Amino acid sequence: MIMTQNHTKQDVTVNVGDRFPLTIRRLGVNGHGIGYFKHKVCFVPGALPGEVVVAEVTRVMPRYLTAKIHRLRRPSKHRVTPRDSYADVAGGFELENLAYPEQLKFKRQVVIDSLAKFQPYGYRNYEVRPTIAAPQEYGYRNKAQFQVRMIDGHVAAGLYKPDSHDLVDMQECAVQMPQTVHVVRTMVKLIEELDIPVYDEDHNSGIIKTLAVRESRTTGEVQLTIITNTPKLIHKHQLLDAIADQLPEVVSVMQNVNPGDTPLVWGDQMIHLAGKDAITESLMGLDFKLSARSFLQLNPEQTETLYEEAAKALDLAPEDTLIDAYAGIGTIGLSLASRVKAVRGMEVIPEAVADANENARVNGITNAEYVVGKVEEILPQWQRDGLNFDALVVDPPRAGLDDDLIKAILKTKPRKFAYVSCGMASLARNLRRLTSVYHVDYIQPVDMMPQTARCEAVAKLSLRK
């Protein structure tokens, strides 16, 4: 393939399989090493800043190259040996070869780089604080969501290689809570013994697509959801008997039906197969009911840190009314309910809203109420109905805030505003509009997922004077 270099005005031919020495300058937002070959950016997964590698080209694109490490000529002093043997093969372990203090520096830098890219008002003067470390670097993930496929005639479960649907069969996984992996591996054995067909993407056939396993840090309870291509689950009774016999920690078994070839993991139909319909987790001194599709941060111990940082940013008072947007099962709002007059929240997943209201009831919280719907639609309606609120906490999905919600925020101007973000680019992009009214007091990164490139942060915003 021919790539034209503007800097040299010469054509440089690069082909897949070509090898060349490359100095890694920095890490990209996804944790990949970045170097430059003939002024062309080259992404190298697993390579660290300061390293010199012999890179082997794996993809040639008009504006960039991707490559793998053929040989490591000069390793970084911060390189460590990953605990997972497939850390450089499967997605979700991008930084496992990087010493943990350097991971924390990287995540703070992701915030800074995102601000520099989108340039919200006054961004050069923002206080971006050092990343708060997780108490556990391994064994923290309370949920495993592993795809199930056939590999060499045997049932396999794991994660895909980056940018592919090539499955990596994971016998173990150091970042997961141990019970989640034990349940997955036992299920793999049972599915194969019972000869239950697993999903075949090429022919859109088979039954079992994905295993979702969630463990409660507090109670040790485990919920298993079998995500299937069809409502029919053959050998269901034999499978449930085997689960009851071999996996006594599994107290809830659900089936989610997600037919066809779709990028979405979850479907709309949920079937209760055995045991309870939910498990319980405790956060901030409260008990939370978790149904299968309810969202909860993957690191429950560090979640308490994240929510306490949101509370600090809000600086709540007893007379405040708090809006809990993108509420999930109500974890943020309910954990702060004792500090305010009232909490009102919304969420698009009906099961999560039901859980949120049930969680309020179970914990004896009488000043919180949650409804089903989109925040950008419900918040303006509440305003029209005369609801006045003093404080707003948002915890949106990776894509960030909806445009209509931003308009509503700029119109109503809540005095206290905390933005909890799992996407630094969307945070910086949203701040471009929000800073027409708000001042960014500080941004506090929090490491929710060690060994990965993912970063979370809490931004404290206050009205401009």
Side-chain angles (χ1 to χ4, degrees):
M1 183 173 182
I2 304 296
M3 299 187 302
T4 302
Q5 308 300 311
N6 294 329
H7 294 80
T8 62
K9 299 189 184 301
Q10 295 178 352
D11 289 338
V12 178
T13 303
V14 181
N15 298 301
V16 172
D18 285 356
R19 296 171 183 166
F20 45 78
L22 190 71
T23 299
I24 305 302
R25 303 297 182 187
R26 58 189 177 88
L27 290 179
V29 67
N30 294 318
H32 297 164
I34 294 179
Y36 296 88
F37 176 69
K38 306 291 186 181
H39 304 289
K40 182 71 62 174
V41 66
C42 183
F43 297 97
V44 187
L48 302 177
E51 293 188 328
V52 178
V53 305
V54 176
E56 181 177 325
V57 176
T58 55
R59 183 183 298 176
V60 179
M61 302 299 288
R63 301 185 63 178
Y64 66 90
L65 308 172
T66 64
K68 62 182 180 180
I69 300 174
H70 173 69
R71 188 169 74 254
L72 186 59
R73 280 188 173 181
R74 189 179 72 201
S76 166
K77 64 180 180 180
H78 302 300
R79 177 175 284 274
V80 297
T81 302
R83 292 191 188 181
D84 292 295
S85 59
Y86 34 68
D88 59 347
V89 179
F93 307 86
E94 301 85 3
L95 301 183
E96 201 172 348
N97 60 357
L98 181 63
Y100 191 55
E102 297 303 309
Q103 294 185 30
L104 299 176
K105 293 178 183 177
F106 162 76
K107 294 184 181 190
R108 178 176 183 268
Q109 191 62 45
V110 169
V111 178
I112 294 170
D113 291 346
S114 297
L115 293 172
K117 178 179 180 180
F118 291 98
Q119 299 184 2
Y121 179 78
Y123 74 95
R124 289 187 178 87
N125 297 319
Y126 291 178
E127 178 189 357
V128 181
R129 296 179 172 178
T131 307
I132 297 176
Q136 294 187 76
E137 298 172 30
Y138 289 94
Y140 62 86
R141 290 185 69 137
N142 62 358
K143 186 177 182 180
Q145 196 163 277
F146 286 0
Q147 310 304 316
V148 181
R149 300 292 185 269
M150 297 297 292
I151 298 179
D152 297 330
H154 292 281
V155 178
L159 302 175
Y160 293 129
K161 296 178 182 178
D163 304 317
S164 80
H165 273 207
D166 295 334
L167 192 72
V168 178
D169 189 27
M170 292 184 159
Q171 301 292 327
E172 56 188 22
C173 185
V175 296
Q176 288 288 152
M177 288 185 179
Q179 280 200 124
T180 62
V181 180
H182 171 65
V183 171
V184 168
R185 298 318 306 178
T186 303
M187 285 296 296
V188 166
K189 176 175 69 74
L190 294 176
I191 292 166
E192 186 156 314
E193 288 175 353
L194 294 171
D195 198 24
I196 302 174
V198 304
Y199 186 61
D200 182 334
E201 288 181 280
D202 293 335
H203 300 95
N204 190 26
S205 62
I207 295 177
I208 297 181
K209 292 174 125 180
T210 307
L211 296 173
V213 181
R214 177 148 55 189
E215 175 182 346
S216 167
R217 173 193 60 158
T218 307
T219 64
E221 296 176 324
V222 175
Q223 182 173 66
L224 165 65
T225 304
I226 305 166
I227 301 173
T228 61
N229 187 40
T230 67
K232 183 178 181 180
L233 177 58
I234 67 170
H235 305 309
K236 176 174 66 177
H237 296 296
Q238 295 98 311
L239 179 61
L240 292 175
D241 288 344
I243 291 170
D245 180 56
Q246 299 183 35
L247 295 170
E249 63 271 34
V250 175
V251 301
S252 172
V253 185
M254 307 294 293
Q255 179 184 354
N256 178 263
V257 183
N258 185 25
D261 183 9
T262 168
L264 300 177
V265 174
W266 295 83
D268 294 330
Q269 184 181 1
M270 190 71 72
I271 302 169
H272 181 203
L273 296 180
K276 302 190 291 186
D277 62 358
I279 60 175
T280 300
E281 181 63 278
S282 295
L283 294 170
M284 308 283 282
L286 302 176
D287 291 333
F288 290 95
K289 175 185 175 183
L290 300 173
S291 57
R293 289 190 65 192
S294 296
F295 171 77
L296 183 71
Q297 296 280 356
L298 290 171
N299 187 338
E301 193 168 6
Q302 189 73 328
T303 296
E304 295 186 331
T305 302
L306 183 72
Y307 292 173
E308 196 54 51
E309 288 301 319
K312 290 178 186 176
L314 287 166
D315 190 23
L316 296 168
E319 66 275 11
D320 289 340
T321 294
L322 172 66
I323 298 296
D324 181 10
Y326 306 97
I329 60 171
T331 45
I332 295 181
L334 295 178
S335 66
L336 303 180
S338 64
R339 311 182 194 193
V340 297
K341 181 176 68 175
V343 175
R344 299 285 296 274
M346 67 289 283
E347 169 61 56
V348 295
I349 299 175
E351 300 97 320
V353 172
D355 285 350
N357 287 315
E358 176 66 7
N359 290 331
R361 187 191 67 79
V362 167
N363 288 284
I365 297 171
T366 59
N367 64 335
E369 180 185 352
Y370 289 87
V371 298
V372 178
K374 295 180 179 180
V375 58
E376 59 270 19
E377 296 174 0
I378 291 178
L379 192 60
Q381 182 59 54
W382 282 350
Q383 293 160 354
R384 288 192 292 270
D385 292 343
L387 175 67
N388 295 315
F389 58 91
D390 315 276
L392 171 68
V393 59
V394 297
D395 186 7
R398 191 166 297 275
L401 302 179
D402 180 272
D403 285 345
D404 289 337
L405 175 58
I406 293 177
K407 291 177 184 176
I409 293 171
L410 296 178
K411 181 179 179 181
T412 56
K413 301 180 178 64
R415 292 185 300 107
K416 302 175 180 182
F417 184 9
Y419 188 141
V420 181
S421 175
C422 61
M424 299 307 100
S426 59
L427 170 63
R429 185 173 58 248
N430 289 162
L431 288 178
R432 290 184 64 178
R433 295 178 62 190
L434 293 170
T435 48
S436 64
V437 169
Y438 285 93
H439 176 264
V440 177
D441 294 357
Y442 63 79
I443 299 176
Q444 175 63 70
V446 179
D447 187 17
M448 300 294 292
M449 297 180 66
Q451 318 311 327
T452 78
R454 295 190 179 182
C455 179
E456 302 245 351
V458 177
K460 175 179 172 58
L461 289 85
S462 58
L463 287 172
R464 292 188 173 279
K465 297 178 180 178

